[in-house]
C-alpha cells in the first residue's frame, strides 16, 4: 500500500522499494535499495526510478495511481522498443475515427530519446514515464467513453456515460508484452454495431484512396426508369464503387452491356440498384433520381467518412454496460427496437420530433403505461400550434374534441374565453380513437416530458423520413409492444381487453424496463452494410468539429 502524503518523499521511496522483492532490479537495471541481501537504512539509500515514481505518485489520484499500483510501482516506458511499439500503435487509432496526432506519437518518441541521454536525471525519467502513461490512459478513456464530452455540445443531453472499470493489471501486462492492440480492444466497445462501423470506415477510406466516386451533373429534370441519358454511365460507375452493381460490373468487363443495350439506358437493373441505394440512405424508395437522391449520390466520400467517424464517437458514448433487456429508440433512423429478456428483438417504425421540436437523447426507465389516455395540450404546442387555429376558427375545439378547463380543472365555456389573452386555460382532449396519443402511452421519467405512444395518424409510418411530431415518439404497433412489456415484467394485464373497455387507467410495470433514446446518422443493417441517414437535427457538424479539435498539450 502506498504510504500517506504525510511521509517524507525519501521515506516513501524506501517503503515502496522494500515492498517489491528482497533482491530485485528496477526495469532500467538499478538496484532497489538492497545491499548484500539486506535493505539499506534510510540514510544509506540510493535514489531509484521506482522511488522517484513513488514520490510523484504520492500526489496523484485516479487511474494513473492505480496503473502503477497494478505494476507494483515499476516504470513502464524506459525500454526504447516498448516506447517505439506504443508510438506505432497510436497511429492505428485512425481505425476508430480518432486522430492519432492528438496523442503526439512523434513527440513522445523524441522526448524518450532525450531522457535516455546521459545528461538526464532520475527525475526526468520519472516525469517521462508518467507522461507516457497519461497518454495511454487518455487513449483508453477516449476509446471507452469518447473523446468529446456530449454535455458540452448538446445542452439537452440526458444519457449518463458510465464506462465499465478497466482491468489495469491486464493493461499493465499488455504493455510489458507490447500488445497494445490488446489494451485498446479492452477499452473500445465490443458490441457488433461498433465493429461494423469500424469496418465501414476502413471500406470508405479504401474508396477514398482509390480516388472516390464520380459526381453527377446537376439536372433540373429527374432521371426516371426507361430514360436514355448521358448521366447513366456515371450513375452506373458511382453505384458500382459502393457495391450496388457487382453483377453489372462483371458484365461491363465482358462487354455484354455494350453489345446488348445502349449504355445510356436507365434499365431495370439500374433502377433496382438505385432503389437499394435509396433504402440505405433513408430516401423515398421509388427508383427516381430526383434532387434528394442526386444530392445523396454526390456527397463526396470524405463526407461519408466524417459521418462514420462521428457515429463511432456516439457509439463510444452509448455501447457500454447496456442491460440485457431494454428499449432502444433510434431517432435519426426512425426505428425502435425492444431487446427482450429471451434474446428476441421486436422492431418497428417510429415518428420523431420535427427539427424545431427535437426528440431528445436520454436514458430512463419505463415505469407505467396509460391505456385510453386523455391528452393535455403542452404549453408550447398550445401557444404555437393550437391557439392560432382556435383564434381563426372556434370550431377547431369541437373538431378535435378539446375541452377548455380553468387552472383548477373546472370546465369553461369556450365562447366566454378571450382567446387573444386566454390566461392559464388548459385544453384537454378526451380519450377516444382520435386522441393524439392513441390508445396507449409508455411513460418514463424525463425532464423533456416526452414518451412513447400510439397515434391515429397511422399513414405517416409509410414515409421513409418521419420527423413529424412535437418531440414525443409515435410507435407503429405500440399495443403489441405494450403487451410484450407486460408479459416480460410479469405484469398481469391484457392490453386488448383493457383498451376495449374504454376506461382511462394507469398500470405500473412489476419491473421497470430501461429505455434509451439515441441519435445515429449511420448504422449497420442486418447484412452488416452501412445505412446513412439524413442529419435531421444538424448535430453532426458540431460533433465533428469537437472531434477534430486538437487536445490541449
Amino acid at each position: 500500500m502506498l504510504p500517506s502524503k504525510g511521509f517524507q518523499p525519501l521515506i516513501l521511496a524506501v517503503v515502496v522499494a522494500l515492498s517489491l522483492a528482497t533482491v530485485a532490479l528496477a526495469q532500467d537495471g538499478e538496484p532497489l535499495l538492497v545491499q548484500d541481501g539486506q535493505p539499506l537504512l534510510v540514510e544509506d539509500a540510493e535514489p531509484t526510478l521506482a522511488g522517484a515514481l513513488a514520490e510523484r505518485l504520492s500526489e496523484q489520484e485516479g487511474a494513473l495511481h492505480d496503473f502503477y499500483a497494478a505494476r507494483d510501482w515499476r516504470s513502464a516506458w524506459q525500454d526504447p522498443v516498448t516506447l517505439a511499439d506504443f508510438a506505432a500503435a497510436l497511429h492505428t487509432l485512425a481505425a476508430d475515427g480518432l486522430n492519432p496526432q492528438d496523442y503526439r506519437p512523434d513527440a513522445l518518441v523524441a522526448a524518450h530519446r532525450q531522457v535516455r541521454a546521459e545528461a538526464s536525471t532520475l527525475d526526468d525519467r520519472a516525469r517521462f514515464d508518467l507522461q507516457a502513461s497519461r497518454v495511454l490512459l487518455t487513449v483508453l478513456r477516449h476509446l471507452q467513453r469518447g473523446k468529446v464530452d456530449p454535455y458540452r455540445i448538446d445542452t439537452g443531453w440526458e444519457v449518463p456515460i458510465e464506462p465499465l472499470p478497466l482491468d489495469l493489471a491486464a493493461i499493465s501486462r499488455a504493455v510489458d508484452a507490447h500488445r497494445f492492440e490488446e489494451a485498446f480492444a479492452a477499452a473500445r466497445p465490443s458490441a457488433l454495431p461498433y465493429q461494423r462501423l469500424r469496418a465501414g470506415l476502413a471500406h470508405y477510406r479504401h474508396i477514398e484512396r482509390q480516388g472516390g466516386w464520380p459526381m453527377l451533373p446537376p439536372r433540373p429534370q429527374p432521371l426516371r426508369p426507361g430514360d436514355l441519358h448521358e448521366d447513366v454511365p456515371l450513375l452506373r460507375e458511382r453505384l458500382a464503387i459502393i457495391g450496388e452493381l457487382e453483377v453489372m460490373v462483371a458484365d461491363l468487363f465482358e462487354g455484354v452491356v455494350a453489345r446488348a443495350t445502349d449504355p445510356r439506358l436507365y434499365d431495370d437493373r439500374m433502377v433496382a440498384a438505385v432503389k437499394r441505394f435509396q433504402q440505405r440512405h433513408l430516401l423515398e424508395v421509388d427508383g427516381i433520381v430526383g434532387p434528394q437522391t442526386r444530392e445523396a449520390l454526390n456527397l463526396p466520400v470524405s463526407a461519408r467518412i466524417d459521418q462514420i467517424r462521428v457515429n463511432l464517437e456516439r457509439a463510444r458514448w452509448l455501447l457500454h454496460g447496456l442491460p440485457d433487456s431494454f428499449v432502444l429508440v433510434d431517432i435519426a433512423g426512425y426505428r425502435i427496437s425492444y431487446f427482450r429478456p429471451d434474446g428476441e428483438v421486436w422492431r418497428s417504425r417510429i415518428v420523431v420530433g420535427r427539427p424545431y421540436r427535437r426528440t431528445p437523447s436520454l436514458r430512463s426507465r419505463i415505469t407505467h403505461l396509460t391505456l385510453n389516455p386523455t391528452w393535455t395540450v403542452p404549453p408550447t404546442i398550445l401557444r404555437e400550434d393550437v391557439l392560432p387555429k382556435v383564434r381563426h376558427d372556434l370550431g377547431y375545439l369541437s373538431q378535435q374534441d378539446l375541452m377548455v378547463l380553468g387552472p383548477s380543472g373546472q370546465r369553461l365555456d369556450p365562447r366566454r374565453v378571450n382567446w387573444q389573452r386566454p390566461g392559464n386555460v388548459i385544453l384537454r382532449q378526451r380519450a377516444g380513437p382520435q386522441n393524439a396519443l392513441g390508445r396507449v402511452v409508455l411513460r418514463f421519467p424525463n425532464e423533456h416530458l416526452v414518451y412513447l405512444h400510439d397515434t391515429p395518424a397511422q399513414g405517416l409510418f409509410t414515409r421513409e423520413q418521419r420527423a413529424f411530431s412535437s418531440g414525443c415518439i409515435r410507435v407503429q404497433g405500440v399495443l403489441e409492444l405494450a403487451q410484450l412489456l407486460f408479459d416480460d415484467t410479469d405484469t398481469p394485464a391484457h392490453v386488448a381487453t383493457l383498451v376495449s373497455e374504454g376506461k382511462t387507467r394507469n398500470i405500473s410495470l412489476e419491473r421497470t424496463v430501461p429505455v434509451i433514446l439515441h441519435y445515429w446518422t449511420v448504422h449497420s443493417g442486418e447484412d452488416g452494410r452501412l445505412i446513412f441517414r439524413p442529419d435531421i437535427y444538424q448535430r453532426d457538424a458540431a460533433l465533428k468539429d469537437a472531434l477534430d479539435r486538437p487536445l490541449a498539450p
Side-chain angles (χ1 to χ4, degrees):
M1 180 179 294
L2 189 65
S4 66
K5 295 183 181 180
F7 281 76
Q8 293 297 322
L10 184 56
I11 297 293
L12 177 61
V14 173
V15 174
V16 170
L18 289 176
S19 70
L20 298 176
T22 305
V23 178
L25 293 178
Q27 276 189 302
D28 58 353
E30 295 181 6
L32 290 178
L33 303 173
V34 175
Q35 180 174 304
D36 298 328
Q38 298 295 325
L40 294 177
L41 297 175
V42 172
E43 57 266 25
D44 298 324
E46 291 281 341
T48 67
L49 182 53
L53 285 169
E55 180 179 345
R56 287 183 167 273
L57 281 167
S58 67
E59 298 183 359
Q60 298 290 342
E61 296 180 357
L64 187 62
H65 171 280
D66 295 342
F67 175 69
Y68 280 95
R71 298 181 59 78
D72 292 329
W73 318 109
R74 292 178 298 114
S75 60
W77 308 102
Q78 300 304 307
D79 173 36
V81 178
T82 302
L83 195 283
D85 288 350
F86 178 47
L90 292 176
H91 288 283
T92 69
L93 295 171
D96 289 274
L98 297 169
N99 181 4
Q101 295 309 314
D102 276 341
Y103 313 102
R104 301 174 178 83
D106 298 336
L108 206 59
V109 171
H112 185 257
R113 191 179 299 117
Q114 185 175 355
V115 299
R116 294 296 298 176
E118 293 183 3
S120 65
T121 66
L122 205 60
D123 192 57
D124 292 334
R125 294 162 68 188
R127 186 183 300 110
F128 172 78
D129 216 87
L130 295 174
Q131 175 191 350
S133 293
R134 287 190 186 96
V135 172
L136 171 66
L137 294 174
T138 297
V139 168
L140 298 180
R141 186 175 71 252
H142 288 178
L143 284 172
Q144 191 181 43
R145 64 155 307 280
K147 172 189 172 182
V148 179
D149 182 352
Y151 292 95
R152 292 183 176 273
I153 61 172
D154 184 356
T155 55
W157 181 265
E158 282 190 35
V159 184
I161 298 176
E162 299 175 355
L164 301 177
L166 288 171
D167 184 347
L168 291 176
I171 298 296
S172 174
R173 292 191 294 270
V175 169
D176 289 342
H178 302 189
R179 296 194 302 267
F180 295 105
E181 172 52 32
E182 181 181 310
F184 295 168
R188 71 166 62 95
S190 60
L192 185 59
Y194 189 85
Q195 304 307 321
R196 286 176 172 174
L197 283 171
R198 290 184 84 233
L201 179 61
H203 175 63
Y204 278 83
R205 279 181 167 156
H206 174 73
I207 292 175
E208 185 178 47
R209 288 192 295 271
Q210 299 300 312
W213 47 60
M215 300 291 167
L216 302 181
R219 303 288 185 191
Q221 298 298 321
L223 179 64
R224 299 181 180 276
D227 284 354
L228 279 175
H229 202 285
E230 57 269 24
D231 286 353
V232 173
L234 279 177
L235 177 62
R236 182 180 295 112
E237 181 183 355
R238 168 70 174 85
L239 295 172
I241 286 172
I242 59 170
E244 298 290 5
L245 278 171
E246 296 94 336
V247 175
M248 189 167 285
V249 172
D251 290 345
L252 281 171
F253 280 112
E254 296 172 7
V256 173
V257 172
R259 291 195 304 270
T261 62
D262 189 326
R264 299 173 301 153
L265 176 64
Y266 185 36
D267 60 15
D268 290 345
R269 287 193 296 178
M270 285 284 291
V271 171
V274 167
K275 286 183 176 180
R276 288 193 294 272
F277 177 88
Q278 290 171 328
Q279 190 171 36
R280 295 188 195 281
H281 292 75
L282 234 61
L283 301 165
E284 294 298 325
V285 183
D286 55 12
I288 299 172
V289 184
Q292 287 189 330
T293 298
R294 190 176 292 264
E295 181 181 358
L297 286 163
N298 281 343
L299 202 66
V301 65
S302 59
R304 292 302 183 198
I305 288 171
D306 288 338
Q307 198 173 353
I308 298 170
R309 289 180 60 229
V310 299
N311 283 275
L312 277 163
E313 182 75 350
R314 289 183 176 123
R316 290 187 284 267
W317 291 344
L318 179 69
L319 296 181
H320 282 293
L322 292 176
D324 293 333
S325 176
F326 65 103
V327 173
L328 177 63
V329 174
D330 178 2
I331 299 169
Y334 309 110
R335 301 285 294 181
I336 185 172
S337 302
Y338 171 37
F339 297 85
R340 302 183 63 194
D342 61 4
E344 293 185 2
V345 183
W346 181 89
R347 293 185 173 91
S348 189
R349 292 185 163 210
I350 58 174
V351 172
V352 301
R354 294 185 287 266
Y356 58 90
R357 295 218 183 118
R358 302 177 178 183
T359 297
S361 295
L362 60 85
R363 190 166 187 163
S364 185
R365 302 185 74 89
I366 299 173
T367 55
H368 65 284
L369 280 64
T370 304
L371 304 178
N372 297 309
T374 61
W375 179 53
T376 300
V377 181
T380 300
I381 298 177
L382 175 63
R383 181 178 62 254
E384 298 180 4
D385 297 343
V386 176
L387 282 180
K389 295 176 181 177
V390 173
R391 289 165 183 157
H392 176 72
D393 179 10
L394 195 60
Y396 176 81
L397 294 170
S398 59
Q399 294 167 13
Q400 300 299 317
D401 199 17
L402 289 168
M403 298 182 293
V404 184
L405 306 176
S408 59
Q410 74 276 21
R411 188 81 176 266
L412 300 179
D413 183 346
R415 294 168 298 181
R416 296 182 178 277
V417 175
N418 179 1
W419 290 105
Q420 298 304 318
R421 293 188 175 183
N424 295 324
V425 300
I426 298 170
L427 297 186
R428 182 168 297 155
Q429 191 178 43
R430 281 180 283 248
Q434 296 306 311
N435 186 278
L437 302 181
R439 294 161 292 176
V440 63
V441 180
L442 281 59
R443 300 190 185 275
F444 42 92
N446 65 92
E447 294 182 358
H448 301 276
L449 302 179
V450 299
Y451 30 79
L452 304 167
H453 66 88
D454 188 20
T455 176
Q458 294 290 313
L460 293 178
F461 292 121
T462 64
R463 305 283 295 273
E464 289 301 320
Q465 296 184 28
R466 300 183 291 277
F468 300 115
S469 84
S470 294
C472 289
I473 303 98
R474 307 174 192 174
V475 182
Q476 187 177 36
V478 69
L479 270 69
E480 182 181 356
L481 174 59
Q483 190 61 58
L484 292 176
L485 291 174
F486 283 149
D487 294 343
D488 292 345
T489 59
D490 298 322
T491 303
H494 189 263
V495 172
T497 300
L498 294 173
V499 166
S500 65
E501 293 175 358
K503 181 180 177 181
T504 300
R505 67 181 78 196
N506 291 320
I507 299 180
S508 297
L509 297 178
E510 293 294 325
R511 296 186 301 276
T512 61
V513 176
V515 59
I516 300 170
L517 280 58
H518 199 49
Y519 186 82
W520 309 82
T521 56
V522 182
H523 192 58
S524 62
E526 294 184 11
D527 61 357
R529 298 184 64 178
L530 298 187
I531 298 171
F532 295 89
R533 292 87 171 266
D535 182 14
I536 54 174
Y537 295 163
Q538 300 298 305
R539 288 177 173 169
D540 281 2
L543 178 50
K544 178 187 176 297
D545 289 346
L547 193 59
D548 288 343
R549 194 171 299 129
L551 293 177

